[in-house]
Amino acid sequence: MSKLAYLVIRDGLKWTDVFRLVPGQSVTIGRAATNQIVVKDDRCSRNHAEIFSSEGQWTLRDLDSRNGTMVGDQRVTGDWVLRPADVIRVGRSQLVFVHHLTEAFNDPPTAVVAPELDATHSDNVLDDDSNVLEPFEPTTITHRRGQTRFLEPSQPSEENQERREDNKEEVDDTGISKQGQAAARLCRIAFELAKAPDLPKMADLALAGLFESTHTDTGALLLLPRDSSKEPDGADLEIVAQRTLAEQRYHRLSNFLATTIMREGEAVLARNVMGDSTLGSRDSKGEILATSVICAPVRHANRTLGLIHLYSTDSRRVPDPDDLEFTLAVADTVAVALVNLNRRQELTENLSQMQDENTQLRERLGVTSEIIGSSQVIRQVTEQIARAAASNATVLIRGESGVGKELVARAIHYSSARSKNTFVCLNCAALSEDLLASELFGHERGAFTGATERKIGKFEAADRGTLMLDEIGEMSPGIQAKFLRVLEGHPFERVGGNKPVKVDVRVIAATNRDLEQDAADGRFRRDLYFRLHVLEIVVPGLRKRLDDIPELAYYFLRKYVDETGRKIEGFSDAALQQLITYRWPGNVRELKNVIERAVVLCRGRLIDQGDLLLSKLPTAGPTGQLGPADRFNPCSLADLERDHILATLQHTAWNKSRAATHLGIERSTLDRKIRRYRLTEESPSSGN
């Protein structure tokens, strides 16, 4: 039989915990919460090691941990028989094996908590101030109760009814004094008010508690409007809730009494008020039904929020000063509950407003986007980015060179749930096949000439984040096959390695090529194209968003003026007009470079036409420009649109998706125009 033993756990320089080893029971050590001894250390494996009794001795076994288990300076291989004072090292943590606790404390004594010790044994723990061990005494539970009786309605008993009739002491059914009885009822009312979901429910609960505890049968809670800031007046009070146990309905108190309570902030008890119109309230016949009245202000932070109005219609039920005291206590409790309820409602409204604003900001991408522009086409792109950010799907971004595809990818990442993790960008066209494989998947030391150490690839670097692959159409077929497997969720191996690596990465691909046509021509894997083409965002060229050119021009102007310190105030009208009418074959990238050059060369306060260096390169794709004037043939806009759509469809071999992309419209819009103009593959051009 194994001896009784302990593991004393060390955290840094202090012994912090004691774990008792029970013969016949195996103990596991690891980072996972399912272990008996949990070590919160990133060097510790989820299931690191175990200790068990075998042939009368305690044995340690490593569970194929990542960093191994040490006893002293020796690594545990196989089963290790533990001896007293052996120090087990798991990551940065230490556990000392002892048969007696005194064997563990060779260094200066420190306080030790032993929550795992069995109270049935007379085992000892170390005292804070000496090496003397004191016995561990278990705690005894003496009473249990699911709910306090002070929050339950009382049920009178015969014994206490007799004591009440003797009138020697005013007690409730449990023998508690009248003051204690009132405190218990007040506690129960406060407990119920705190749970009230809205104001009417809270007011109804307060009135019900008052009728139960006072000699009244009719009443109401009246409050000032929430936005009221003027001097409190009785006429401004609004009835929030009313309640009656009598045959007559509730009648509002007089304005005189209400104004007195609101201005003085003190509670009043008025008895025998049937003939006093200043204290009682008349019914439709002019009769005053109340015999006695209680009014208590609802006060909070030196401000009167309203009042509680109670009265009795039965001359045999006369309120006493204790009823006034209890009503005032309930009124103060209602004030606190009312303020808390208002705060909850404000928080709920603010939270709803924040959620709406957050949704709008996410749709507009707010501060998470560097995209400049407010044109309709950019707003459509922004909406597509917001929808893409809400999912984890692969995104394909298409557009000409220089339109800002990387900015769109960054906006998707920083508006998504992965925004706190890494965003990695890689240009596939800038690397050879071997270098691209190394950059994507990493390599092991010695994998090829020059690989002097292990390198982590972009996939591993972007784990739990986003990887953008620019110019995806330039990727070689060999890399495409391996890349497809990773997209499908399979692990990969580093170049020159044989250990599988699995990552959680969202992929965003970008290209200025027609991948659909490349896939049809066999230059791009069809299966990879379909895997990438889950969500598609087409970024328009700058010539299709003319309204954004002034905004972009001034943005870049401010940027380079701040960098250079030049005193340039803006653009001349002629320069700005030239920027708007230019076709921008290089898109936003070209505009940025043109403005930077103009800032450097400008000699005046305004950038003029002579400061703008514009190229004569043609734009990518169909421009839609008219031919020379001598070839002009008058025609309607409808005929011109019909011919242009037909020419684009013929150019794309009637591939409607590609044609819609060239035309800058949605596929559904193209279908409607085809039906409107009754276009077919045999349709002739009008000749205009």
Side-chain angles (χ1 to χ4, degrees):
M1 185 68 179
S2 301
K3 297 181 180 179
L4 186 65
Y6 302 90
L7 286 178
V8 183
I9 305 171
R10 187 169 201 156
D11 183 8
L13 300 177
K14 295 182 179 181
W15 300 105
T16 60
D17 201 357
V18 177
F19 190 91
R20 178 171 171 267
L21 299 175
V22 179
Q25 295 183 6
S26 175
V27 175
T28 58
I29 305 169
R31 186 161 41 87
T34 54
N35 295 285
Q36 286 86 350
I37 299 179
V38 179
V39 178
K40 296 182 179 179
D41 186 342
D42 55 3
R43 298 184 182 181
C44 177
S45 298
R46 292 182 58 82
N47 297 294
H48 198 100
E50 68 173 337
I51 298 176
F52 57 92
S53 58
S54 176
E55 298 180 357
Q57 295 182 341
W58 289 99
T59 303
L60 171 67
R61 177 183 295 166
D62 183 79
L63 300 178
D64 295 328
S65 63
R66 183 177 66 252
N67 294 314
T69 306
M70 308 289 291
V71 175
D73 296 329
Q74 300 186 35
R75 184 164 184 152
V76 174
T77 57
D79 292 346
W80 183 287
V81 177
L82 293 172
R83 301 181 181 279
D86 276 352
V87 178
I88 305 170
R89 302 179 187 274
V90 175
R92 286 181 289 263
S93 302
Q94 301 179 25
L95 304 87
V96 62
F97 173 83
V98 294
H99 287 304
H100 302 283
L101 290 177
T102 53
E103 299 171 354
F105 306 103
N106 296 322
D107 43 4
T110 55
V112 174
V113 182
E116 300 292 340
L117 297 184
D118 192 340
T120 59
H121 292 73
S122 60
D123 305 324
N124 299 329
V125 296
L126 187 65
D127 184 73
D128 288 347
D129 301 321
S130 68
N131 288 328
V132 179
L133 300 179
E134 296 182 353
F136 175 81
E137 297 181 0
T139 301
T140 303
I141 298 175
T142 57
H143 294 84
R144 288 183 182 272
R145 190 171 182 86
Q147 183 177 345
T148 172
R149 58 185 170 84
F150 291 142
L151 297 180
E152 299 174 353
S154 59
Q155 300 293 333
S157 63
E158 295 182 2
E159 177 183 356
N160 284 312
Q161 184 65 28
E162 293 176 358
R163 293 178 63 185
R164 190 176 287 133
E165 291 174 357
D166 290 341
N167 204 25
K168 294 181 180 179
E169 181 183 7
E170 294 187 61
V171 296
D172 70 352
D173 60 297
T174 59
I176 300 176
S177 66
K178 187 175 182 179
Q179 183 177 358
Q181 177 184 358
R185 286 197 293 265
L186 182 63
C187 177
R188 176 164 52 86
I189 292 173
F191 184 76
E192 293 173 348
L193 292 179
K195 299 189 298 181
D198 50 41
L199 182 57
K201 180 64 175 178
M202 183 188 73
D204 192 62
L205 288 171
L207 293 174
L210 286 167
F211 288 170
E212 179 185 346
S213 304
T214 63
H215 297 86
T216 57
D217 53 31
T218 308
L221 172 65
L222 300 92
L223 297 176
L224 290 172
R226 285 181 59 178
D227 56 352
S228 177
S229 58
K230 64 179 184 178
E231 185 74 16
D233 187 88
D236 298 327
L237 291 171
E238 299 176 356
I239 299 176
V240 176
Q242 54 183 291
R243 188 182 179 98
T244 180
L245 302 179
E247 295 180 359
Q248 300 85 1
R249 64 182 182 85
Y250 167 77
H251 289 283
R252 185 186 177 107
L253 76 166
S254 65
N255 285 338
F256 168 79
L257 182 57
T259 302
T260 301
I261 301 303
M262 294 298 294
R263 291 182 177 175
E264 297 182 2
E266 294 184 353
V268 298
L269 166 63
R271 292 185 254 191
N272 191 25
V273 300
M274 294 189 67
D276 192 339
S277 61
T278 61
L279 299 177
S281 56
R282 303 177 183 273
D283 62 5
S284 58
K285 299 179 181 180
E287 298 178 355
I288 299 177
L289 302 177
T291 60
S292 301
V293 176
I294 294 178
C295 282
V298 178
R299 305 166 299 188
H300 185 268
N302 299 322
R303 181 168 177 257
T304 304
L305 307 177
L307 59 83
I308 292 177
H309 175 220
L310 302 174
Y311 60 84
S312 172
T313 60
D314 188 350
S315 59
R316 293 170 297 179
R317 292 174 55 86
V318 181
D320 55 27
D322 288 337
D323 292 336
L324 177 64
E325 293 280 355
F326 187 82
T327 304
L328 184 58
V330 172
D332 289 340
T333 305
V334 167
V336 175
L338 178 63
V339 171
N340 291 338
L341 180 62
N342 289 338
R343 287 175 179 170
R344 287 203 305 269
Q345 291 176 345
E346 289 175 0
L347 288 173
T348 302
E349 292 171 0
N350 291 339
L351 179 59
S352 177
Q353 182 179 358
M354 290 174 60
Q355 289 174 340
D356 293 341
E357 292 176 354
N358 186 46
T359 301
Q360 294 174 4
L361 288 173
R362 284 179 66 87
E363 291 178 353
R364 298 174 184 173
L365 296 180
V367 296
T368 61
S369 172
E370 300 175 2
I371 299 175
I372 306 298
S374 55
S375 63
Q376 179 63 30
V377 291
I378 283 299
R379 286 199 296 268
Q380 292 175 355
V381 171
T382 302
E383 293 173 359
Q384 292 175 336
I385 292 172
R387 290 194 291 268
S391 72
N392 200 35
T394 305
V395 182
L396 178 61
I397 304 174
R398 296 173 57 185
E400 301 170 12
S401 179
V403 295
K405 296 187 288 295
E406 183 175 343
L407 293 183
V408 173
R410 288 183 180 275
I412 294 173
H413 170 75
Y414 289 109
S415 300
S416 70
R418 297 174 177 261
S419 59
K420 295 182 179 179
N421 298 313
T422 309
F423 176 82
V424 178
C425 183
L426 179 64
N427 191 328
C428 300
L431 302 170
S432 65
E433 180 176 349
D434 293 338
L435 287 178
L436 181 58
S438 175
E439 285 293 324
L440 282 175
F441 309 113
H443 62 251
E444 299 288 349
R445 179 180 179 182
F448 49 83
T449 303
T452 57
E453 59 184 14
R454 172 189 288 179
K455 178 180 179 180
I456 299 299
K458 300 300 184 184
F459 267 107
E460 290 182 79
D463 189 23
R464 292 182 293 180
T466 304
L467 173 61
M468 178 195 175
L469 297 178
D470 200 4
E471 304 298 345
I472 189 72
E474 307 299 329
M475 185 180 288
S476 66
I479 301 298
Q480 289 179 29
K482 192 172 183 180
F483 177 51
L484 176 61
R485 281 189 54 82
V486 180
L487 281 182
E488 296 291 351
H490 297 286
F492 61 90
E493 298 174 357
R494 301 187 190 96
V495 177
N498 54 14
K499 183 178 180 181
V501 179
K502 189 173 179 62
V503 293
D504 174 20
V505 174
R506 180 183 191 174
V507 172
I508 299 178
T511 183
N512 59 3
R513 299 180 54 158
D514 188 346
L515 287 189
E516 188 173 12
Q517 185 62 43
D518 288 349
D521 296 340
R523 292 190 297 268
F524 196 82
R525 292 182 63 103
R526 298 169 64 93
D527 47 3
L528 179 56
Y529 168 74
F530 292 125
R531 185 63 183 83
L532 291 173
H533 197 256
V534 179
L535 296 175
E536 183 182 66
I537 297 177
V538 178
V539 186
L542 186 56
R543 63 185 176 278
K544 296 181 181 179
R545 39 184 293 214
L546 300 180
D547 294 342
D548 293 332
I549 291 178
E551 187 176 352
L552 284 165
Y554 276 99
Y555 171 79
F556 291 127
L557 175 63
R558 290 191 297 269
K559 172 182 173 64
Y560 293 118
V561 164
D562 291 341
E563 290 182 1
T564 60
R566 300 294 306 276
K567 303 297 183 182
I568 301 176
E569 299 175 356
F571 300 89
S572 67
D573 293 341
L576 194 59
Q577 184 62 30
Q578 187 174 10
L579 291 176
I580 295 174
T581 56
Y582 180 60
R583 299 296 293 172
W584 298 110
N587 293 296
V588 180
R589 182 185 293 119
E590 182 184 5
L591 174 61
K592 175 183 175 183
N593 296 334
V594 167
I595 301 300
E596 182 179 12
R597 178 185 180 278
V599 169
V600 174
L601 298 181
C602 180
R603 296 182 179 181
R605 293 283 182 176
L606 297 176
I607 294 177
D608 204 355
Q609 282 182 290
D611 302 319
L612 301 176
L613 180 62
L614 304 177
S615 73
K616 297 181 180 179
L617 293 174
T619 55
T623 63
Q625 295 179 343
L626 295 175
D630 57 351
R631 290 164 46 195
F632 173 74
N633 292 316
C635 67
S636 66
L637 287 176
D639 289 340
L640 183 63
E641 183 181 52
R642 175 189 178 279
D643 287 351
H644 185 62
I645 292 175
L646 180 59
T648 305
L649 287 168
Q650 291 172 347
H651 173 74
T652 59
W654 273 81
N655 186 313
K656 295 181 181 179
S657 297
R658 292 178 56 204
T661 301
H662 288 312
L663 292 169
I665 60 177
E666 297 292 336
R667 166 68 182 270
S668 58
T669 303
L670 177 60
D671 287 334
R672 287 197 301 273
K673 291 182 181 295
I674 291 174
R675 290 194 297 270
R676 179 193 306 169
Y677 297 127
R678 300 179 180 179
L679 298 178
T680 64
E681 296 187 26
E682 292 77 22
S683 296
S685 173
S686 64
N688 294 315

